[in-house]
Amino acid sequence: MSSTFGKIFSVTTWGESHGAGVGSVLDGCPAGLAISENDIQIELDRRRPGQNKLTTPRDEKDQVKILSGVFEGKTTGTPISFAVFNEDQRSHDYSEIQKWYRPGHADLCYDEKYGFRDYRGGGRSSARETIGRVAAGAVAKKLLRQVAGTEILAWVNSIGKVDCGPLNLNDLTLEQIEASPVRCPDPEASAKMEAEVLEARRNADSVGGTVCLLVKNPPKSLGEPVFDRMDALLAQAMLSIPASKGFEIGSGFAAARMHGSEHNDEIFFDGNVYRTRTNNAGGSLGGISNGEPIYCKIAFKPTATIAQRQNTAGRGGENGTLAARGRHDPCVAVRAPVIVESMAALVLADLLLQQKRNFLNSADQAFAD
Amino acid sequence: MSSTFGKIFSVTTWGESHGAGVGSVLDGCPAGLAISENDIQIELDRRRPGQNKLTTPRDEKDQVKILSGVFEGKTTGTPISFAVFNEDQRSHDYSEIQKWYRPGHADLCYDEKYGFRDYRGGGRSSARETIGRVAAGAVAKKLLRQVAGTEILAWVNSIGKVDCGPLNLNDLTLEQIEASPVRCPDPEASAKMEAEVLEARRNADSVGGTVCLLVKNPPKSLGEPVFDRMDALLAQAMLSIPASKGFEIGSGFAAARMHGSEHNDEIFFDGNVYRTRTNNAGGSLGGISNGEPIYCKIAFKPTATIAQRQNTAGRGGENGTLAARGRHDPCVAVRAPVIVESMAALVLADLLLQQKRNFLNSADQAFAD
Amino acid sequence: MSSTFGKIFSVTTWGESHGAGVGSVLDGCPAGLAISENDIQIELDRRRPGQNKLTTPRDEKDQVKILSGVFEGKTTGTPISFAVFNEDQRSHDYSEIQKWYRPGHADLCYDEKYGFRDYRGGGRSSARETIGRVAAGAVAKKLLRQVAGTEILAWVNSIGKVDCGPLNLNDLTLEQIEASPVRCPDPEASAKMEAEVLEARRNADSVGGTVCLLVKNPPKSLGEPVFDRMDALLAQAMLSIPASKGFEIGSGFAAARMHGSEHNDEIFFDGNVYRTRTNNAGGSLGGISNGEPIYCKIAFKPTATIAQRQNTAGRGGENGTLAARGRHDPCVAVRAPVIVESMAALVLADLLLQQKRNFLNSADQAFAD
Amino acid sequence: MSSTFGKIFSVTTWGESHGAGVGSVLDGCPAGLAISENDIQIELDRRRPGQNKLTTPRDEKDQVKILSGVFEGKTTGTPISFAVFNEDQRSHDYSEIQKWYRPGHADLCYDEKYGFRDYRGGGRSSARETIGRVAAGAVAKKLLRQVAGTEILAWVNSIGKVDCGPLNLNDLTLEQIEASPVRCPDPEASAKMEAEVLEARRNADSVGGTVCLLVKNPPKSLGEPVFDRMDALLAQAMLSIPASKGFEIGSGFAAARMHGSEHNDEIFFDGNVYRTRTNNAGGSLGGISNGEPIYCKIAFKPTATIAQRQNTAGRGGENGTLAARGRHDPCVAVRAPVIVESMAALVLADLLLQQKRNFLNSADQAFAD
């Protein structure tokens, strides 16, 4: 079940980088949601490679097919099966990568865990596995938008030493983010980040980065204490993305340097709902959404596979060197935002379906025939 | 099921801060493990309040009882039930905390999610809930030590602005950590941290901190791609601890500023096993343990409940102020290490029982009668 | 997790027949449900031993304690912990039962599965484990009654060769059932069954029986295709009760001898809702409740532990004989009805909380703030 | 998650009768198992329609594709994705079946549960959904055969009033079963059953039947008390098959008429292992396999969709009549054996991977690197 995520609204992904294809099965989606292959394709196009010179030249159309669960344009409440068939499987020579373990990569761990591995590309640990997540995430996003008017945005916050400048989160739009080749809505920082990525490529190297997540108008009361706290599930979701090394919500690590009197967000009643004047909580208290925007940051390490020669060991136990060929993004963060958005949407949609407004008077409505 | 954690080795916790008691049920522990109430008590004593002037004066003995699953000193393979009955339930006046929502606390979220709440103390969101985790974690630790010789340590790495100095992780011991009233093995930093905590208390305030986790000699090949990656489950586990705001593994957020050529850990074969010369990975590649020490950092916000007067809103929607009474730790990080260790042990024990050395020749042994 | 049942409304049981006690933790119950220890005790008193000469003389008061999850008489939405402490643990001599495996009993399987066992009584395989299920089931029953007006009844349908006569299910009441010492609402059959049980006891033997389950006014649309079909979960629930050997719903095995033209239940619209004129389906079509009464039958084998001498083998592999002492019901079916009702209630309550009336217009209401 | 079955070795099915296709994703299969599309096809060919005049004329090749999880002919430990694309989707006129609810069918329940349905054929409630189970079951069978030498057989035991005669279970082979057009290894009964089915078809009617399951040489110690008892999971698995109405194991309902002295299986030690002289238990005691053959019986109702005219109601609430067209098996039991075998294999393979021989000395081997 380790390829299945979510308790009610749950996705199961399948596929390897160089197999016949990749995809997922989304179970537990309410019936009656209008979904087309185009809704999915729009999101997949944001993560697919070959978009510009900053990403891998591997060119995949990543055309998605919906094989079940949608009838006359609407979800039926039965499992939705997504498939993307791999095109660009040029059979180049894998002998080196088969023999020598890539430093920083999962090759060795897969060999030791499973006894052998699909050595063509990253196999199951490849970022192509996330296609199935993005497809399901597109449905989750639509559900959240329709049921609660929720909007989910992610962007690149830093690459290497270059940080994004201050943003007005209220006005931030997807267009501003996608307008940047590195998906950073700050034009000045975007240009510097682009240079950082290109320099890494010139040096046959790679570079890390951070991605920020913002959920506007999230449903209230999401999160099931104690282990399915919203922030705990978001943390699991983000650390399940290849190359991620860290997660923080709201004030995050900065909170550890603060006093309670600075950190506590003042509560007030605006005549209609309870709000807070600041949002150090990042929209989560006690692991339950309080209705304020959800704000998180995720750290991505530099791509492990680089072209410059590195010391490493081989399958037979010999020590030697490897200069990895193959086509890889110099910075995974650039294509990460849509994956981050998708995982957040999957977490929130599942919690939404679990949130029973757990007291009986409204439960009555919920279960009324 | 949101109070249950783990797929095979799974713990279910129960209890509120001011109810009859707290506890947990541990299911899926292999039979034949020697366990006594004393093994559990030793760990609970590390988290219990009233230990010194840095923690809440609330004095609880937290005596654990094992109600099932152990026979003649050994686990039987059936559920192990732990109970700690609450003693110190002095019935002070809760009218204020019942009326006014504590800024930074889960009170409001519980009221909105469930329609009402147990307003005595933190109810289910209280840190007392973690007693059940620590009890089960003590068993997980013993299983890991016995099966794989694994040792798990956590300590306070920073409080407010004070950071722990460099440590020799190979030689670090539990004794060094517990010798410090703030659980920081660096004596100089420990003294400064102690001052930081006392100053916060004098100011009717609180202060945040970070905790580091180190797993020495972890089993190899733990972690089930893609969603049950070891680091993903550790992230969920840590973010499920009250007051945590961030998690990172290995190089963590620093990795986002590095190049691949710096970050990749060189692999070599030491004639016996594969090792890496550095450990930026923090013991995890592709979400699978590679046998190197597992190293993580967790951020804790300052305690939400403080004695100084804060603006907030009340149950009726009125805006006003609250100066919270009650006995609270000025810094939750000080008692967090044993909770962090316990959650890590629960994750690793569950993954250990899931790790089937997934290839058939050894599977054969595993399943042989 | 094999001691946990249910996905949203889930119970985890713990305890052995001769340990400190037995109990359960019920997670996922909506908040605001009025629950008292007396509500639970009423159900436990129906299953407790020592009620009359037809059951084991082992006399247990089985007093239940609620340790968490209820505040000011109402559920809070947090885990509800139930505990019943074992009283009557007279330390008689277990040497024989420790040495010789009881034919028809789980002793040998536990020894082979876990390497050793708690040989005092049945350990975890004892019917005392079901106390935790009945306690949680009492809450499930109350939830179903309050939310949907559902009533759940079970009674003894046969003992040995004696069958219950035809009943008018519409008028059947709990009082009629409990008025019979063998829980059979047909007075004539009841008297014969009583004789059957007493004769079995006189012969140092035991006898089997069947139990019928009736759910009046069940919620519609319960059951989640394909694996969580309502009838599939009821089957798992019933076969998880000690000594059960078979389950059927509606026409059950008789359906296998029928033609479609006889078996299909004619559908009609009564001006208000859809009904069927017959109920061969037993209230379930495609694994989804159709609103008609749910009707099932469960088979229980004769108690394995009998006083007459039987051939068997011992722990050391020696072959010999055993005449089991100890206090055992000659017919487990007599105390089974409340356990059957409880398991049915747990299944239906969980499916009720999963049933989201899975289309969006009503989903909107369900999730509206 | 209701389309996912199994905790470690878990299958997720997708697809409708008249959509683009059907299939499943099998997660948690150990690496290194040799699997080809032909291994799967052999099993699918046993369930596919159009095999002879006793089944639906709907002719589907049901060619399976393996899309992931197998590399160089062996499982890699990653999810195995199976797909069968629907061919024979002749667009006949669905207006009648769309308007009038079929008695005995799930049409009405799907409409009420989900608000609308895919009215072409049975949609998700169609037996075509079981293709994904049979594909995954083929892998489970191969795993069980290789690891434990287990063999799983199912056959038709009765159709209508005709029962299979006594069989010598030790010598029973798949060839004997498949040699019969109704899959009954008793040639005389087979001929009578065939007549029964043809008569039902002539009468525009259908007929029910029972299927027996036999597991030879099953692994010992499978089954996780208390809710994942082997027999409880087998019951869920069998009742999740469309049209099933009952399940019994070993002596089943007959046990309810027996005395303990008749029913208890005498245990003896054969010098090597513990055996029983009889097998009323059907291979399961306390929900744990004891190594004796597992023997179960499953009841299937007659096909709901029949051509003769029946009274029923329509979508608008009007009452009227329906004479269903379309191509349907007059007796579902004839094609059920391979589905029953597959579900049994899925249950046993999952329990095999969960069975950790739960005591530490052998656990040590199991987890040794």
Side-chain angles (χ1 to χ4, degrees), chain B residues 79-239:
Chain B
I80 307 171
S81 179
F82 301 102
V84 166
F85 295 94
N86 292 334
E87 301 162 340
D88 182 2
Q89 306 172 43
R90 67 177 68 164
S91 64
H92 44 59
D93 166 19
Y94 294 106
S95 54
E96 265 221 308
I97 198 179
Q98 179 181 9
K99 175 170 182 201
W100 297 101
Y101 292 119
R102 285 173 288 178
H105 206 285
D107 298 341
L108 172 58
C109 289
Y110 269 74
D111 265 0
E112 293 196 315
K113 184 179 182 73
Y114 298 106
F116 83 118
R117 74 183 202 276
D118 179 344
Y119 49 75
R120 301 164 305 167
R124 182 68 175 161
S125 67
S126 160
R128 276 191 77 68
E129 176 273 330
T130 62
I131 285 176
R133 310 186 188 197
V134 172
V139 179
K141 276 184 177 178
K142 207 161 176 190
L143 176 67
L144 288 159
R145 195 178 302 115
Q146 183 156 337
V147 171
T150 303
E151 205 190 343
I152 303 178
L153 288 175
W155 63 93
V156 170
N157 176 68
S158 74
I159 288 181
K161 311 269 183 296
V162 186
D163 293 309
C164 178
L167 299 172
N168 178 340
L169 296 185
N170 297 331
D171 306 345
L172 186 61
T173 66
L174 179 62
E175 293 58 39
Q176 293 165 18
I177 295 166
E178 292 298 314
S180 154
V182 291
R183 298 200 167 82
C184 174
D186 168 356
E188 207 174 309
S190 175
K192 291 190 190 136
M193 290 176 182
E194 190 170 350
E196 192 93 352
V197 174
L198 293 173
E199 190 205 1
R201 160 162 290 162
R202 267 196 308 281
N203 301 340
D205 209 341
S206 60
V207 61
T210 58
V211 169
C212 281
L213 168 73
L214 176 71
V215 181
K216 295 182 180 179
N217 195 19
K220 255 187 188 179
S221 301
L222 301 196
E224 298 294 319
V226 291
F227 297 112
D228 293 345
R229 282 180 154 94
M230 179 179 70
D231 34 20
L233 292 181
L234 286 171
Q236 178 193 5
M238 299 311 161
L239 268 293

Side-chain angles (χ1 to χ4, degrees), chain C residues 39-47 134 138 141 338 341:
Chain C
D39 292 325
I40 313 302
Q41 197 62 55
I42 286 166
E43 296 287 70
L44 288 182
D45 290 346
R46 290 174 58 203
R47 78 154 293 291
V134 171
K141 276 183 176 180
V338 68
E341 292 172 13

Side-chain angles (χ1 to χ4, degrees), chain C residues 249-366:
Chain C
I249 183 164
S251 50
F253 278 88
R257 299 201 174 280
M258 296 168 75
H259 288 100
S261 53
E262 312 163 69
H263 190 270
N264 289 341
D265 300 308
E266 177 184 329
I267 302 169
F268 68 101
F269 189 73
D270 73 359
N272 192 6
V273 295
Y274 290 94
R275 300 291 317 277
T276 61
R277 299 207 187 272
T278 51
N279 189 17
N280 286 317
S284 172
L285 283 171
I288 299 168
S289 63
N290 65 356
E292 300 297 327
I294 298 167
Y295 181 79
C296 305
K297 193 178 293 179
I298 302 97
F300 290 93
K301 69 179 189 178
T303 315
T305 310
I306 57 177
Q308 62 183 265
R309 187 160 296 280
Q310 304 172 90
N311 294 328
T312 188
R315 291 200 73 172
E318 64 279 46
N319 293 318
T321 67
L322 170 71
R325 278 169 307 156
R327 300 149 299 157
H328 299 278
D329 287 3
C331 179
V332 295
V334 173
R335 283 166 51 201
V338 68
I339 303 168
V340 166
E341 292 172 13
S342 299
M343 291 308 300
L346 290 168
V347 167
L348 297 179
D350 190 36
L351 289 175
L352 181 70
L353 296 184
Q354 285 184 58
Q355 164 55 3
K356 297 164 288 298
R357 300 291 300 138
N358 294 352
F359 43 100
L360 284 175
N361 33 339
S362 68
D364 290 342
Q365 304 157 27

